[in-house]
Amino acid sequence: MFNVVLVKMVKNSIDEINNDIKSAFFENAHSPFVILDGDMNFVGVNHAGAKTLGINKENFIGKNLLDIFPYLEGTKRYDAYKKVIETGVPIGFDELLFKGANVEFKFMVRAFKIGEYLGVSTLDVTSLVETIAKLKSTQTSLKEVNQNLQRKNQELKDFSYVAAHDLRAPLTNLKSLLEMVLTADPGSTEIYPVVEKMQVVTKVMCDKIRALNQVISIKSNFSEYTEEMVFADVIGKIKLSHSQEIIEGRTIIKEDFSSCPSIEYNPVQLESILQNLMSNALKYRHHNRKLSIRISTKKVNGKTILTFKDNGLGFDQNLADKIFLLFKRMHTHVEGLGIGLYIMNSIVSENGGKIEVSSKKNKGTEFRIQL
């Protein structure tokens, strides 16, 4: 009999010790722990849980889960908690969002049955999730920087090649003409046409060198400064600068900026884009019909789309990917160097936009520019 009593006393002591250990572990754990009854009322919450959510323990006990977290009502998560009590099968959630009074936390959650109650243990992964998000953002930024450097390097290679190629021909021509002058009879009249050709070639070289300087200057001085620009005002200024050509050619210009009247953009760059479009439309007009130009803007997925359409000479659509190349010209019957569209494309690309162009020979051209 004495032995039986002793065994019971030892067992009770062990149970008390175990309960004390469990209670101490529950109360002093770094992570939030809560216990709810079958009606989802709080019957226990540890110090970390109360501290994390900024609510006194006394204000937890007896309150319903939906009193503290009303946004859980009707959610699959709430139903899943109740199902754990019914079935005894534990569940886990990753990166659950918990909203406190003025804070938001992300937790890994484990819900399990304790007797007739629901135990919920959590692990705060807010900092970890934010760190991962920052790493992903940094990785994306580095990828964008790398892609930008690759694009810049390719532009530099293309620019160097075109510059060398387009200057080599007139320089070689000039060298040949100079040799003709040096070997000709100083008193011969044959020397005059050669000198005239030398003047023409020299002018071509000077024009191209000036054009290259202009391109280099624009590319080297891209400014991030922006201000709100009203499209109607910019077009009005450009029409004024081309007023003589517009009036003499009886050009029809229709504008529709009602869907997107303005844009936050660099003023010099926006004016350059529209100036090149207007200049090209007037320069490459079809002389058998009155020039008609339509200009409009609209918002598509948060982006400003500028459309510029004319009924001019147009060009073969198969050559559309070449029109933005340096010194590339689709028509040679009028004076030009072929740098306007190159500059325009550089500005649009530098600002993260893109240009789509469609054209038909002797029908006209449409530029669709995402600014």
Side-chain angles (χ1 to χ4, degrees):
M1 185 67 179
F2 175 75
N3 289 338
V4 174
V5 173
L6 181 62
V7 169
K8 286 184 177 181
M9 290 177 62
V10 171
K11 186 176 182 300
N12 289 336
S13 296
I14 292 173
D15 289 341
E16 288 179 9
I17 292 171
N18 286 337
N19 289 333
D20 289 342
I21 291 172
K22 290 175 183 177
S23 177
F25 177 79
F26 175 82
E27 187 58 44
N28 295 296
H30 285 290
S31 298
F33 285 84
V34 297
I35 300 174
L36 302 105
D37 63 18
D39 295 322
M40 296 289 111
N41 296 316
F42 287 96
V43 296
V45 57
N46 71 346
H47 179 71
K51 183 178 179 182
T52 299
L53 295 171
I55 303 174
N56 293 329
K57 290 180 67 173
E58 294 76 16
N59 295 332
F60 260 113
I61 307 304
K63 290 287 183 68
N64 191 269
L65 180 66
L66 295 180
D67 293 333
I68 307 298
F69 306 113
Y71 58 88
L72 288 176
E73 186 172 7
T75 64
K76 291 181 179 179
R77 194 199 314 175
Y78 183 79
D79 294 337
Y81 287 155
K82 299 204 77 170
K83 193 171 182 179
V84 172
I85 295 180
E86 295 171 7
T87 64
V89 178
I91 58 170
F93 298 99
D94 292 332
E95 292 187 26
L96 284 185
L97 179 66
F98 280 85
K99 299 176 184 178
N102 298 307
V103 292
E104 290 186 356
F105 296 95
K106 287 186 178 178
F107 290 105
M108 291 179 66
V109 175
R110 183 77 173 170
F112 47 91
K113 194 171 182 180
I114 309 175
E116 298 302 316
Y117 298 97
L118 175 71
V120 180
S121 63
T122 67
L123 177 63
D124 186 358
V125 293
T126 308
S127 298
L128 179 60
V129 171
E130 289 176 353
T131 300
I132 292 172
K134 287 178 182 178
L135 287 172
K136 287 181 179 178
S137 177
T138 301
Q139 186 179 27
T140 301
S141 298
L142 287 172
K143 186 177 180 180
E144 290 174 353
V145 169
N146 187 47
Q147 289 174 341
N148 191 43
L149 285 173
Q150 289 178 342
R151 181 173 59 84
K152 292 284 188 183
N153 286 336
Q154 188 60 48
E155 282 183 4
L156 185 58
K157 288 179 182 177
D158 295 342
F159 183 83
S160 301
Y161 172 80
V162 172
H165 179 272
D166 277 64
L167 289 176
R168 187 185 300 117
L171 186 59
T172 302
N173 195 5
L174 185 62
K175 181 174 179 291
S176 300
L177 292 170
L178 183 59
E179 288 174 352
M180 291 173 65
V181 170
L182 293 175
T183 56
D185 184 351
S188 173
T189 55
E190 295 178 357
I191 200 170
Y192 294 111
V194 177
V195 171
E196 289 177 353
K197 288 181 180 179
M198 289 178 67
Q199 289 176 327
V200 172
V201 173
T202 302
K203 182 180 182 302
V204 170
M205 285 189 64
C206 289
D207 288 344
K208 290 200 171 184
I209 289 171
R210 277 197 295 269
L212 288 171
N213 284 335
Q214 183 182 351
V215 170
I216 291 170
S217 175
I218 290 173
K219 281 183 165 290
S220 301
N221 294 286
F222 272 114
S223 172
E224 294 183 358
Y225 169 76
T226 63
E227 63 179 75
E228 187 174 6
M229 301 296 296
V230 178
F231 285 107
D233 292 346
V234 179
I235 288 295
K237 182 179 178 182
I238 291 169
K239 286 194 297 186
L240 188 62
S241 67
H242 291 282
S243 57
Q244 185 175 347
E245 299 165 87
I246 292 171
I247 293 170
E248 289 178 354
R250 294 186 297 168
T251 301
I252 300 169
I253 300 177
K254 295 184 178 180
E255 306 162 27
D256 182 5
F257 305 122
S258 57
S259 297
C260 181
S262 64
I263 186 175
E264 193 75 19
Y265 215 80
N266 181 282
V268 175
Q269 293 171 12
L270 182 62
E271 187 173 326
S272 177
I273 292 169
L274 290 165
Q275 179 70 257
N276 279 305
L277 290 169
M278 183 69 75
S279 178
N280 277 0
L282 293 168
K283 189 183 294 184
Y284 302 115
R285 65 196 309 152
H286 198 293
H287 291 288
N288 292 335
R289 58 176 172 262
K290 198 178 294 184
L291 176 62
S292 174
I293 298 173
R294 294 177 180 270
I295 313 167
S296 63
T297 53
K298 62 180 179 179
K299 283 279 188 182
V300 178
N301 297 325
K303 301 286 186 179
T304 300
I305 306 297
L306 166 68
T307 302
F308 194 104
K309 185 177 182 179
D310 66 55
N311 66 340
L313 291 174
F315 56 85
D316 188 343
Q317 182 66 30
N318 294 326
L319 301 175
D321 59 338
K322 300 183 186 300
I323 66 169
F324 300 112
L325 297 178
L326 186 61
F327 297 138
K328 187 66 179 179
R329 301 181 64 204
M330 297 293 106
H331 305 283
T332 57
H333 66 284
V334 293
E335 188 176 350
L337 286 170
I339 66 166
L341 292 182
Y342 176 84
I343 290 173
M344 183 179 77
N345 188 52
S346 297
I347 291 172
V348 172
S349 297
E350 191 70 24
N351 285 283
K354 62 180 180 179
I355 305 176
E356 295 176 356
V357 58
S358 58
S359 186
K360 287 185 179 180
K361 208 167 184 179
N362 295 317
K363 295 292 184 180
T365 303
E366 178 177 308
F367 289 89
R368 190 171 183 272
I369 305 172
Q370 178 186 296
L371 293 168

